[in-house]
Amino acid sequence: MTAFRLAHLSDLQLPPPPLPFRWRDVASKRLLSRFAWRRKQHRHDQVVLDAIAADIAARRPDHVAITGDIINFSTPEEFAAARAWLANLGDPGGVTVSPGNHDALSARGAPEAFAPWRPWLGDEGADFPYLRVRGPVALINLSSAVPTALHLAQGELGAAQIAAARALLREAAERGLYRVVLVHHPVAPDVVSGRKELVDADALRAMLAETGAELILHGHAHEALLTTVPGPAAAIPVLAVPAASTPAGGRGQPARWNELEILRDGKGFRTTVTARGITLELTVEHKGSFVLA
């Protein structure tokens, strides 16, 4: 039987195109974030990101999952540029985007409900969570992206989204599908500081402990991580990857993406994770493989 191969990358933080001056940005979080970008822009290089994207394309996965922070300031110009980048990456039916806090940095002037990226969010429905079924896999796409105050990078799902996700997870379980939850912010406790956390993570974990899931994918921490949260019968593995645009040899973990091979194994599934990461020479190489317990 052929394995379903899912690529996971996160925190692209595409360099912003030239942005016009707008008075509304002076009174928003965008102004401070632009100063921060000038200080930290060397940590995100589109040449690195494009090398990661080319490697993913060469591996020809069945689907690509991106867990947020596609852009930086949530301006209309950035949404348009990111849409072009996503279109070059692949058909919207083969790529799913879960937005991050930078994608919702400020509500003022930003496209409502991430409208330019709508084809990459889900197949049906008007709002999160979205369900996408691809082969034996059910992608439950959540959005933790909300505008926040200065110096905060928190996320929030809200009770309605968590309740709707519960129903989707139950439906997917009844269909015998491998359930992958996509969300930008970490789900396990103590992964990031309080100013960066998912504020209703306790409610999400309680729901997952009841319904279960086979895997959770997130970003935000800019680290390669394997954590777990409780499920109804066994712990649910939670995977994260470093930012997909971070050069090797600089600050932060170098860019990496994970290839997940999901194979039916009797009545269950077997999942093999292969990490592929950027080098100083801007090539992408195998960094190791393991099987999820």
Side-chain angles (χ1 to χ4, degrees):
M1 185 177 293
T2 303
F4 183 92
R5 294 185 303 121
L6 176 65
H8 174 218
L9 68 159
S10 194
D11 299 86
L12 317 185
Q13 297 196 251
L14 285 160
L19 301 176
F21 176 82
R22 297 185 178 97
W23 280 108
R24 70 183 179 218
D25 290 347
V26 173
S28 80
K29 191 176 179 179
R30 289 195 184 104
L31 183 62
L32 182 62
S33 295
R34 289 195 193 192
F35 288 123
W37 170 260
R38 290 176 184 174
R39 188 177 70 252
K40 299 187 296 184
Q41 60 183 328
H42 63 280
R43 301 183 195 177
H44 299 284
D45 188 336
Q46 187 161 353
V47 173
V48 173
L49 175 59
D50 289 343
I52 291 288
D55 190 60
I56 291 173
R59 301 283 292 183
R60 298 177 63 87
D62 296 296
H63 200 81
V64 179
I66 305 175
T67 50
D69 281 1
I70 315 299
I71 55 179
N72 294 279
F73 313 126
S74 68
T75 63
E77 293 81 8
E78 287 179 293
F79 272 93
R83 180 185 173 95
W85 191 91
L86 289 169
N88 188 61
L89 180 66
D91 183 272
V95 180
T96 299
V97 170
S98 176
N101 54 288
H102 276 279
D103 305 321
L105 189 77
S106 174
R108 301 184 67 183
E112 186 176 353
F114 311 102
W117 302 345
R118 178 63 188 81
W120 290 270
L121 303 181
D123 297 332
E124 299 177 357
D127 203 354
F128 291 93
Y130 292 101
L131 171 66
R132 281 186 146 175
V133 177
R134 300 291 186 269
V137 173
L139 299 163
I140 293 87
N141 190 18
L142 309 181
S143 175
S144 59
V146 292
T148 55
L150 291 176
H151 307 299
L152 294 181
Q154 293 171 327
E156 184 173 6
L157 296 169
Q161 188 177 181
I162 292 173
R166 176 188 288 109
L168 293 179
L169 284 162
R170 286 174 172 166
E171 174 192 337
E174 291 171 357
R175 296 170 61 179
L177 298 171
Y178 184 101
R179 298 164 297 170
V180 181
V181 176
L182 306 179
V183 64
H184 177 65
H185 288 78
V187 178
D190 303 321
V191 173
V192 292
S193 66
R195 75 177 188 88
K196 297 182 178 181
E197 68 182 359
L198 181 65
V199 298
D200 48 3
D202 286 347
L204 176 61
R205 289 194 296 267
M207 183 271 284
L208 290 166
E210 173 193 339
T211 63
E214 281 60 58
L215 181 63
I216 302 167
L217 302 178
H218 73 84
H220 194 53
H222 293 199
E223 294 182 56
L225 297 169
L226 172 58
T227 55
T228 62
V229 296
I236 302 169
V238 185
L239 278 172
V241 286
S245 54
T246 301
R251 291 185 60 182
Q253 292 187 5
R256 183 182 295 188
W257 69 278
N258 283 340
E259 181 181 64
L260 311 167
E261 291 191 352
I262 301 163
L263 182 66
R264 285 196 182 273
D265 184 11
K267 295 183 179 180
F269 293 90
R270 175 184 174 91
T271 307
T272 303
V273 182
T274 298
R276 296 184 60 80
I278 199 75
T279 68
L280 288 169
E281 294 76 28
L282 293 176
T283 60
V284 181
E285 65 182 20
H286 179 267
K287 295 293 185 179
S289 300
F290 60 94
V291 176
L292 290 178

